[in-house]
Each structure stands twice: as C-alpha cells, then as structure tokens.
C-alpha cells in the first residue's frame, strides 16, 4: 500500500486553556476526496489549518507524503508548495492583477521562468473558466470569480493535494454553484482533496469519505451514504437534521 | 408671535454673516495698510531676494528634506520590523527608540548629533551640513515614520500573509512581496504629512551653523530681514514654503479620498451581505 498523502496522529491543539482538537487520528489517501462537516466551533477549520501549520499543533504528528511537517527540521515552506489552500475569504492579493496573483509564488518560490509561470497561469485560469479576467484586479471580480481565481492560484503551484476551508461560506447563494462546479472538475481530474464544508449536497455527491467532527474529535467517518443518511451517533443525527431544516 | 424653526435658522445665519462684515469693515478702516504693504509686501526687497531665495535657500531646504527623509525612512523600516519582531530585545529597543525621539525636541537631537557626538567621542557625521542635518532630523523623523509603517503593516489583513505563506513563501518573502506593497499604499497619505512636517523642521538646521551657500529658507529670510530691517523676507519665505507644501497636502487629500473609495469597494462579502439583510429588514 502506498503512503497516505496526509496522515495525522494524535493531534492536539490548545488555544490558551481551550482544547480545540482532542486527539485526531486521520488519513487521506491519494486521489481521495474527504469532506469534513460539523457544527461551528467543532475544530474543522483548525484541523485544516494545522495540516499546513498555519496553526501550530500543540502535540501530535502530521505527515505530508510521509514527511513530518511538525518536525523542527522540516522545510515547512517547501511542504506547503505541495498543499494548495483555499480560504473562506479568498485572500487574493489586491495589489496584483489576476495574472500576477497566479505567478508571484511560482516565480518567487518555485523559481519558474516568467514564460513557464505565465503559461501555467493561463492553463489553470482556463480550468476555472476565467481566462478573460487575466488582467483584472481582484476588486473588479465577483465573490465567486475571486474564489475561482483563488483556486487557480493554488493550482498554479501544481500541488499534490488541495485543502478547502469553507470555500463557499462567504458567497452570496447565487455564486456558490460556480465555485462548486470548479471543485467538481478537480474531483473528476482525480485531485486529492480535503474540504471543510456546509454544503451537504456537494459532500454527498463527490466525497469518497465524510468525516463528522464535534467538540474537537472525529465522531463519525465513512462513506457519505452512511454518515449523511444513516448516522450512528445522536450528535450527527441532530446536526444533520438542523442543517436540513435550514 | 413665536418664530418658526425656519425663521430662527435664517436669523442665525444673517447674524453670523453680519459679524463677518463688521470685522471686515473695521479691518479696512483702521488697519495701517501702507505700513503693512511697506513692511510685509515690499516689492523692492522681494526682487532683491531673487534669485537666491529659490536657487539657494529653497533648493537647500529641499535637499535637506530629501536627505533627512531618505535616511529617516530607511531607519524607520528597520525600526518598524523590529517593533513587530517576535524577538523581545528587538521589540524593546525599537519601542524605547520611538518613545525617546518622539518625546525629545528635535532641536536637542540635532544639537546632539552636531555637537554632542564630536565633543564626547570625536565623531563627526560626514557630508557637512547635509550629512549632519539629514542624520539629526532623520533620527527624529524615523521615530514617527516607524510608527506609521508599523500601523500600515498591521492594517494589512492577516489572511494576506496566511495566503502568501500557504503558497510556500517564507516570512521575509511574504513581507516583501505581499505585505509591504499593500502597507505602503495605506501609509502614503500619513507619510506625505510627515514629509511636510520634516520639510518645515529643516528650519531648525540653522543651529548647526550655515554658510551663505548652505542656508535654508528660514535662515535665509531671517538674515535678509536683519539686513533690510524689514519683515518682507518672512512673507516671501512663507510663500515659498506654501508653494511646496500646499500641493503636497492637496495630493494627500486626493489620495485619502481615493483610498477611502477603494476600501469601500473592497469591503468583504460577509459585511456586505450583512448590510443587505439590514436594508431588507428595514
């Protein structure tokens, strides 16, 4: 069996006295799509942010393709280039146009040539359907378009996996679809993905595995049909009922 | 009959205009216009000051300003980054520096650099008045600019550095390519204000002892006043200062208006959505 793309062992995270993650053990295999659901404050986003060490884990081990990112000698910057990260608030660079948003890290981190970086930028921009916006500045784009550019920016690094932190939560309802469409495209291309989301329909449709988190632990995990339609725990049942009533 | 609200407002406005008219009439009737013209707007003396007031005095003022700003800005850059450093001693040093030089008159600092250092250690800043003045004024300006810079860096949303780091950029690269360019945009207006203050503070450099060729505007005007026994040189100096500072302050106002509009446009979606619901509810 090949090494998992992401492997988390006994992950604990405290914010001050508050224990946000209470011992997470978790794996994502190559090509797998994992959706993480759960009430707000359950630690989903913290888990995702620990994987790229945007948050410092208090204890535990996180292996990225077998390499320990929590190790003191780990080259975190190099490991991060393998992990595409998409944020709820898009976080595009407002002082750079779309093309430069997509090329700056390619050039400055991966040291790709200008021609290569721009060719890749054009290619990923086409994948998210925004080739015509290449010269625009982020402030001139809709929220949905900004998030698609953010996805393209992450893809331009040619990452081995993509992490999504509630990618549609900041969007107006009519703009959610276009972002989910782009993400479906990635699933079809076989990208390894971990998605923190409230879009249950999307999770059911694309996930290989759904993880339900509550109060800092993984309460339930399994195929979407099992976790979403026939949950074993009361908490998961209650959460899913509340979400469906919305 | 009681006055309506509208009538009362009208009466109040007329009264205010009346006061202005009274003052204007008094000023016109009783002021010694001839003396004012002779002592403050003497064209003969004005012409005498040309061209040196521009070619020497204003030029020197601009050169000293540029020198002090350049030195001060570079120093401020280091101080701001130290102030934000995670290493305690750096932070403490920067804080102490900023508090010290903001709390002490600029004149003291200039005297310290010009005379204190040579007396105590035999250290003389090279470059004559330009060198000494740039360092003296720059040390003070750096304290103010460091705070402006720090505020600018902190005003850039945390998500920007998170996005940059997630793309594999080191802390330094994220600062250089993502944070600082945005911080500079934010601080251009306050920084221009500091440039104006600095320009006016070059008038303090007279204490270093200037020669006819190194005089800045204020010293030039003062000497000319002593020579001509007339206040016109002060008027001229003031006009020349305004010719430099007014365009700068206008520029700041325009930039601030533009930045305001830009930031409104960039309001993040959640707040905008919230506002929409509020409007819908109203």
């Amino acid at each position: 069996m090949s090494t998992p793309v992401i492997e988390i062992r006994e992950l604990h995270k405290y914010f001050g006295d508050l224990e946000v993650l209470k011992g997470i053990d978790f794996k994502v295999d190559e090509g797998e799509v994992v959706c993480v659901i759960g009430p707000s404050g359950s630690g989903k986003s913290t888990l995702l942010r620990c994987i790229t060490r945007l948050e410092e884990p208090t204890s535990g081990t996180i292996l990225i393709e077998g390499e320990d990112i929590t190790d003191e000698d780990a080259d975190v910057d190099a490991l991060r280039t393998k992990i595409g990260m998409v944020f709820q608030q898009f976080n595009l660079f407002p002082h750079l146009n779309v093309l430069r948003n997509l090329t700056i890290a390619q050039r400055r981190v991966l040291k790709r040539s200008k021609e290569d970086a721009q060719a890749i930028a054009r290619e990923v921009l086409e994948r998210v359907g925004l080739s015509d916006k290449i010269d625009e500045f982020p402030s001139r784009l809709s929220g949905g378009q900004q998030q698609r550019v953010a996805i393209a920016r992450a893809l331009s690094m040619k990452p081995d996996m993509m992490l999504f932190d509630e990618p549609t939560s900041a969007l107006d309802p009519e703009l959610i679809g276009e972002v989910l469409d782009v993400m479906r495209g990635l699933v079809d291309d076989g990208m390894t993905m971990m998605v923190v989301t409230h879009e249950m329909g999307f999770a059911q449709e694309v996930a290989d595995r759904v993880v339900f988190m509550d109060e800092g632990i993984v309460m339930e995990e399994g195929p979407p049909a099992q976790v979403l339609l026939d949950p074993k725990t009361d908490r998961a049942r209650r959460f899913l009922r509340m979400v469906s009533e919305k | 009959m009681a006055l309506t609200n509208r009538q009362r407002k009208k009466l109040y406005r007329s009264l205010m205009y009346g006061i202005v008219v009274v003052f204007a009439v008094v000023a016109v009737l009783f002021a010694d216009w001839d003396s004012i013209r002779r002592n403050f707007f003497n064209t003969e003396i004005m012409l005498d000051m040309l061209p040196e007031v521009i070619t020497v005095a204003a030029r020197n003022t601009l050169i000293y300003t540029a020198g002090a700003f350049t030195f001060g800005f570079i120093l401020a850059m280091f101080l701001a980054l130290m102030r934000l450093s995670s290493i305690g001693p750096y932070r403490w040093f920067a804080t102490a520096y900023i508090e010290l030089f903001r709390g002490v008159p600029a004149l003291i600092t200039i005297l310290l650099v010009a005379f204190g250092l040579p007396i105590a250690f035999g250290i003389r800043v090279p470059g004559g008045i330009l060198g000494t003045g740039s360092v003296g004024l720059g040390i003070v300006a750096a304290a103010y600019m460091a705070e402006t810079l720090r505020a600018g860096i902190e005003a850039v949303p945390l998500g920007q550095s998170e996005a940059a780091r997630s793309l594999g950029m080191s802390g330094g690269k994220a600062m250089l390519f993502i944070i600082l360019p945005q911080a500079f945009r934010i601080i251009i207006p306050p920084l221009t204000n500091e440039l104006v203050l600095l320009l006016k503070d070059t008038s303090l450099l007279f204490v270093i002892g200037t020669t006819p060729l190194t005089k800045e505007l204020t010293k030039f005007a003062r000497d000319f006043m002593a020579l001509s026994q007339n206040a016109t040189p002060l008027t001229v100096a003031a006009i020349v200062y305004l010719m430099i500072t007014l365009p700068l302050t206008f520029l700041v106002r325009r930039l601030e208006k533009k930045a305001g509009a830009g930031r409104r446009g960039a309001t993040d979606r959640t707040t905008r959505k919230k506002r929409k619901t509020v409007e819908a509810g109203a």
Side-chain angles (χ1 to χ4, degrees):
Chain A
M1 224 180 77
S2 63
T3 355
V5 180
I6 303 170
E7 187 173 357
I8 301 168
R9 291 183 202 144
E10 266 304 298
L11 177 65
H12 289 263
K13 170 68 185 172
Y14 283 86
F15 287 118
D17 288 335
L18 184 70
E19 191 175 18
V20 185
L21 297 177
K22 301 171 183 170
I24 305 277
D25 285 282
F26 187 79
K27 250 196 257 181
V28 180
D29 286 318
E30 197 181 336
E32 208 182 4
V33 177
V34 177
C35 285
V36 184
I37 60 168
S40 49
S42 56
K44 310 173 299 253
S45 290
T46 309
L47 171 64
L48 211 61
R49 291 162 61 84
C50 278
I51 293 173
T52 62
R53 271 185 66 182
L54 281 180
E55 301 289 355
E56 208 58 48
T58 309
S59 68
T61 316
I62 298 168
L63 304 175
I64 303 297
E65 296 174 346
E67 243 181 288
D68 187 356
I69 198 169
T70 54
D71 191 75
E72 268 182 41
D73 297 328
D75 187 348
V76 178
D77 292 336
L79 281 170
R80 279 176 177 153
T81 63
K82 298 181 183 179
I83 313 169
M85 182 88 179
V86 176
F87 300 89
Q88 186 177 345
Q89 295 295 343
F90 332 135
N91 296 341
L92 291 179
F93 305 134
H95 62 300
L96 303 176
N97 67 13
V98 168
L99 179 66
R100 295 256 290 140
N101 261 281
L102 299 192
T103 55
I104 188 152
Q106 293 190 62
R107 304 266 289 123
R108 303 292 180 186
V109 179
L110 301 178
K111 309 284 178 199
R112 285 183 188 146
S113 72
K114 194 172 175 183
E115 293 71 32
D116 286 354
Q118 293 194 349
I120 292 170
R122 277 175 226 285
E123 175 198 315
V124 291
L125 213 49
E126 203 183 322
R127 265 173 94 177
V128 302
L130 288 173
S131 297
D132 54 328
K133 303 290 183 192
I134 193 159
D135 294 322
E136 291 285 6
F137 278 84
S139 59
R140 306 257 301 156
L141 303 177
S142 73
Q145 290 170 337
Q146 286 190 51
Q147 192 61 300
R148 284 150 70 194
V149 172
I151 293 171
R153 181 177 64 181
L155 288 175
S156 72
M157 303 296 282
K158 304 263 170 181
D160 296 341
M161 70 205 84
M162 293 279 287
L163 308 184
F164 295 83
D165 188 4
E166 303 199 24
T168 57
S169 296
L171 294 172
D172 287 335
E174 73 271 22
L175 301 175
I176 291 175
E178 59 187 78
V179 173
L180 294 182
D181 281 344
V182 168
M183 291 169 66
R184 273 185 204 105
L186 295 179
V187 174
D188 292 342
D189 293 344
M191 175 65 80
T192 308
M193 288 163 63
M194 191 166 158
V195 187
V196 170
T197 186
H198 291 294
E199 298 292 327
M200 298 303 154
F202 178 75
Q204 191 167 353
E205 177 194 333
V206 304
D208 297 310
R209 190 149 49 97
V210 173
V211 172
F212 172 73
M213 279 184 72
D214 196 15
E215 295 186 347
I217 54 170
V218 173
M219 296 282 281
E220 224 172 295
E221 72 177 294
Q226 181 198 316
V227 176
L228 294 173
L229 303 179
D230 186 22
K232 286 192 285 270
T233 57
D234 278 346
R235 279 174 193 274
R237 258 196 294 276
R238 218 175 314 139
F239 171 73
L240 288 165
R241 201 179 315 126
M242 266 161 55
V243 172
S244 63
E245 273 167 13
K246 242 194 328 198
Chain B
M1 198 180 73
L3 292 171
T4 64
N5 216 349
R6 207 184 148 128
Q7 281 169 321
R8 214 178 306 143
K9 253 186 206 159
K10 218 170 155 187
L11 190 69
Y12 178 76
R13 281 185 73 83
S14 314
L15 193 70
M16 284 297 140
Y17 277 114
I19 292 172
V20 172
V21 171
V22 169
F23 268 101
V25 169
V26 169
V28 168
L29 289 181
F30 296 102
D32 186 349
W33 287 105
D34 196 45
S35 167
I36 290 173
R37 199 195 54 73
R38 250 185 303 116
N39 282 300
F40 288 96
F41 298 94
N42 192 320
T43 36
E44 223 172 282
I45 292 174
M46 283 183 183
L47 289 176
D48 269 356
M49 291 174 78
L50 288 172
E52 282 82 10
V53 67
I54 303 293
T55 56
V56 176
R59 185 166 169 267
N60 282 333
T61 291
L62 288 175
I63 290 174
Y64 299 151
T65 309
F69 189 81
T70 311
F71 178 76
F73 188 76
I74 294 168
L75 193 56
M77 233 12 245
F78 284 105
L79 285 167
L81 292 175
M82 284 167 88
R83 186 93 158 71
L84 293 168
S85 165
S86 55
I87 298 161
Y90 282 161
R91 234 171 25 238
W92 303 328
F93 173 81
T95 309
Y97 179 102
I98 289 164
E99 295 306 329
L100 174 66
F101 288 107
R102 284 202 307 184
V104 169
L107 203 49
I108 297 267
T109 308
I110 294 167
L111 289 170
L112 200 71
V113 172
F115 304 114
L117 290 183
I119 290 169
F121 311 111
I123 300 170
R124 204 172 286 280
V125 179
I129 292 179
L130 174 59
T132 315
S134 298
V135 171
L137 274 175
I139 285 175
V140 181
Y144 288 93
M145 289 196 280
E147 279 297 85
T148 308
L149 262 167
R150 179 186 61 85
I153 291 170
E154 285 184 335
V156 177
L158 192 63
Q160 289 294 310
S161 95
E162 286 186 351
R165 298 302 303 270
S166 294
L167 289 164
M169 287 191 200
S170 62
K173 277 179 189 164
M175 183 57 83
L176 190 61
F177 299 120
I178 305 301
I179 310 299
L180 283 181
Q182 295 183 59
F184 281 138
R185 261 165 223 223
I186 297 169
I187 65 168
I188 283 174
L191 211 57
T192 313
N193 280 330
E194 266 145 37
L195 182 66
V196 169
L197 292 177
L198 190 59
L199 180 110
K200 294 187 292 180
D201 277 352
T202 55
S203 62
L204 296 171
L205 292 182
F206 78 91
V207 294
I208 302 177
T210 42
T211 64
L213 281 178
T214 58
K215 277 178 200 174
E216 43 68 49
L217 259 172
T218 304
K219 174 71 172 153
F220 181 84
R222 239 177 72 179
D223 290 353
F224 221 94
M225 180 171 69
L227 205 71
S228 59
Q229 289 299 305
N230 188 293
T232 304
L234 294 183
T235 314
V236 174
I239 292 169
V240 177
Y241 273 118
L242 284 173
M243 279 174 6
I244 307 169
T245 55
L246 279 184
L248 283 174
T249 42
F250 276 125
L251 182 73
V252 171
R253 207 165 308 156
R254 274 198 42 193
L255 287 172
E256 274 173 347
K257 225 181 256 174
K258 222 171 125 189
R263 223 163 293 154
R264 262 196 302 283
T267 323
D268 71 283
R269 308 282 304 173
T270 31
T271 39
R272 223 187 297 171
K273 235 195 307 192
K274 237 178 259 162
R275 199 180 311 145
K276 239 187 253 169
T277 17
V278 170
E279 279 161 8

